[in-house]
Amino acid sequence: MVAVTLTAARISDETKIWRLFPGGSYKFLSTFEDKRLAFLDLPGLEFDRGKLSADPKLLSKILASGAIADAKREYGPDTQVDFDVTAFPRPRRTKARGRLRQAVINFYENAKAGDLIVVPSTLSEGIIRIGKFEHPPARRLQGRVKERYGNTTIPARRIEWLASVSEHQVSQPLRESLRNQHPFSIIENSLYAEVLSFSYKNFIFGEQFSALIHNNKDDYTDRETALLGMISKLSAAFSEDVENGIPAPQSTSALDKFFLDSSVEFSCSHSSDIHSKGFNWFRGARQTAFVMVLTLGALAALHEYSNSADILQDAGNVSYIIELPDQNDPCIPNITDATKRLISSFEPEQLWEMCKRAKEAQDRAGLSPSVTITE
């Protein structure tokens, strides 16, 4: 029996996404990735107990750290330099210093466990890294960059790296946002869903369901677009039936469903980047996107594990598994029910033809929904 498993994250409405610049000339990128941590370029920085935002000496501490960095750049990483806050008793406040002070507060106090960070790389590398803070801000590590600062430590935080994405696959607004060289700041709300899609592939954020379908080969044509459009339309129709409590009829024609208009709230918005290796991204206020990727995965799998004579029986035996943080999530039975209704709406010859089209799209364009197939 074939099993199609969709794993999805449910993201809290309170989750924030931050932009972290990895130091001048992107010098800390390899340290961040190799050691699974992140920090601001503030060697030797020390904190007192209590809230950073209430510390009247925080700016003096930041300047004392800057003095350590300057000395080690000039005289070498093993130069011994004291963390001397008294050298900056009444620091002048400027806009640049104010931004740096707020970056320290944001990174070491405001960014919560589970918040995401997005880290750009050089234009020549063109890779964006997305990670997640593993621990609360009070749980700090000590990072080291010996080739620059010797044994002087830097307060750091543990990061779980989730994804690395080519800049060519993200939107122009996100690319432009990441060229902001502010040390650490919040990303615009309008870009949250895009960042989450690359981090989790399938997710629920607030009331929005989102699913990503990759195309991993170059030969993407309008045939793939038509296939996805048809499956999306049918997914919306059957999702609406299930959510509205309409009983499954004994015989439902996929063609009839295709020409019926579903409510707009069950339709998905669609974004894509299909040049060379790319993606199609579907999202909406109902579970349609999840039904869609389950269906596409099942069709391609049935072509491999079934045949035209046994397709109806084998399709009826497919198991659909939804893995969410809460396995009692009320959306799960609706998603599986709508997927089963969609698959069963085809006549045997139509269903086998749909399986052939899905497998052809997989072989030719590398069309790959974010699901796992097991037998």
Side-chain angles (χ1 to χ4, degrees):
M1 182 175 68
V2 174
V4 185
T5 302
L6 182 149
T7 302
R10 186 178 277 279
I11 311 300
S12 166
D13 290 345
E14 297 181 357
T15 298
K16 290 184 170 58
I17 303 178
W18 304 85
R19 173 180 43 230
L20 174 64
F21 197 78
S25 302
Y26 303 84
K27 61 193 175 198
F28 298 131
L29 262 177
S30 60
T31 302
F32 287 179
E33 190 165 34
D34 295 344
K35 297 185 178 180
R36 294 181 50 243
L37 49 74
F39 48 76
L40 302 185
D41 189 4
L42 293 167
L45 182 63
E46 298 176 7
F47 298 123
D48 297 327
R49 292 176 179 269
K51 292 178 68 68
L52 298 180
S53 51
D55 184 355
K57 295 182 180 179
L58 181 57
L59 183 54
S60 297
K61 294 174 182 177
I62 292 170
L63 296 177
S65 171
I68 293 175
D70 291 342
K72 288 179 176 286
R73 277 193 291 267
E74 184 171 355
Y75 301 111
D78 295 323
T79 303
Q80 296 300 312
V81 189
D82 292 333
F83 179 68
D84 186 7
V85 178
T86 63
F88 304 93
R90 290 181 297 277
R92 185 167 58 90
R93 296 182 180 273
T94 65
K95 286 185 178 180
R97 289 177 175 180
R99 285 195 296 270
L100 183 53
R101 179 180 181 276
Q102 188 58 52
V104 169
I105 293 169
N106 285 339
F107 188 86
Y108 294 107
E109 181 174 279
N110 291 340
K112 305 183 301 299
D115 281 2
L116 270 60
I117 62 168
V118 186
V119 183
S121 66
T122 61
L123 287 171
S124 59
E125 183 184 4
I127 298 295
I128 295 167
R129 292 164 179 82
I130 305 171
K132 178 175 69 173
F133 287 104
E134 287 193 4
H135 304 136
R139 185 173 173 181
R140 298 177 192 133
L141 309 171
Q142 295 300 320
R144 282 184 174 86
V145 188
K146 290 191 173 183
E147 66 273 18
R148 293 185 179 275
Y149 300 132
N151 285 321
T152 300
T153 59
I154 307 173
R157 296 186 61 182
R158 177 69 67 203
I159 303 297
E160 177 188 352
W161 295 110
L162 302 172
S164 295
V165 185
S166 168
E167 285 200 16
H168 299 298
Q169 289 186 286
V170 307
S171 67
Q172 184 68 23
L174 180 54
R175 286 198 297 271
E176 292 175 354
S177 174
L178 294 176
R179 291 302 155 200
N180 183 331
Q181 296 193 12
H182 189 290
F184 187 71
S185 55
I186 200 79
I187 273 186
E188 297 81 357
N189 285 340
S190 60
L191 300 174
Y192 272 31
E194 182 177 2
V195 174
L196 289 169
S197 73
F198 289 113
S199 307
Y200 296 106
K201 307 298 187 294
N202 307 311
F203 66 90
I204 306 169
F205 181 50
E207 298 300 320
Q208 185 177 81
F209 291 75
S210 179
L212 203 64
I213 299 172
H214 290 279
N215 56 282
N216 297 315
K217 297 180 182 179
D218 294 342
D219 192 14
Y220 188 98
T221 70
D222 60 353
R223 288 172 290 186
E224 284 69 51
T225 300
L227 177 67
L228 293 178
M230 181 177 186
I231 295 174
S232 177
K233 183 73 167 59
L234 292 174
S235 297
F238 286 103
S239 293
E240 184 173 15
D241 281 358
V242 169
E243 191 158 324
N244 289 338
I246 297 174
Q250 293 298 314
S251 178
T252 304
S253 164
L255 190 62
D256 289 343
K257 278 292 185 187
F258 183 80
F259 287 110
L260 288 174
D261 286 331
S262 303
S263 299
V264 173
E265 64 181 319
F266 285 88
S267 298
C268 289
S269 61
H270 177 209
S271 304
S272 65
D273 184 326
I274 55 175
H275 302 98
S276 185
K277 294 181 180 180
F279 64 90
N280 285 269
W281 176 29
F282 293 85
R283 61 197 187 278
R286 293 294 186 269
Q287 66 266 15
T288 302
F290 285 9
V291 175
M292 185 180 177
V293 295
L294 281 172
T295 300
L296 183 60
L299 291 172
L302 283 166
H303 186 273
E304 184 173 352
Y305 293 109
S306 185
N307 55 72
S308 58
D310 299 323
I311 185 62
L312 276 186
Q313 179 180 343
D314 290 340
N317 290 329
V318 173
S319 175
Y320 299 99
I321 303 168
I322 315 296
E323 293 184 344
L324 284 168
D326 179 6
Q327 283 302 108
N328 294 315
D329 196 304
C331 74
I332 291 177
N334 287 351
I335 295 167
T336 55
D337 190 7
T339 307
K340 290 176 181 178
R341 291 192 191 191
L342 195 165
I343 294 289
S344 66
S345 70
F346 292 101
E347 296 296 328
E349 297 81 4
Q350 294 175 331
L351 180 55
W352 184 243
E353 188 63 32
M354 288 293 292
C355 293
K356 287 169 58 179
R357 297 298 174 90
K359 190 64 169 65
E360 287 170 1
Q362 184 182 78
D363 293 341
R364 180 180 57 251
L367 205 64
S368 175
S370 299
V371 296
T372 303
I373 308 296
T374 53
E375 186 182 14

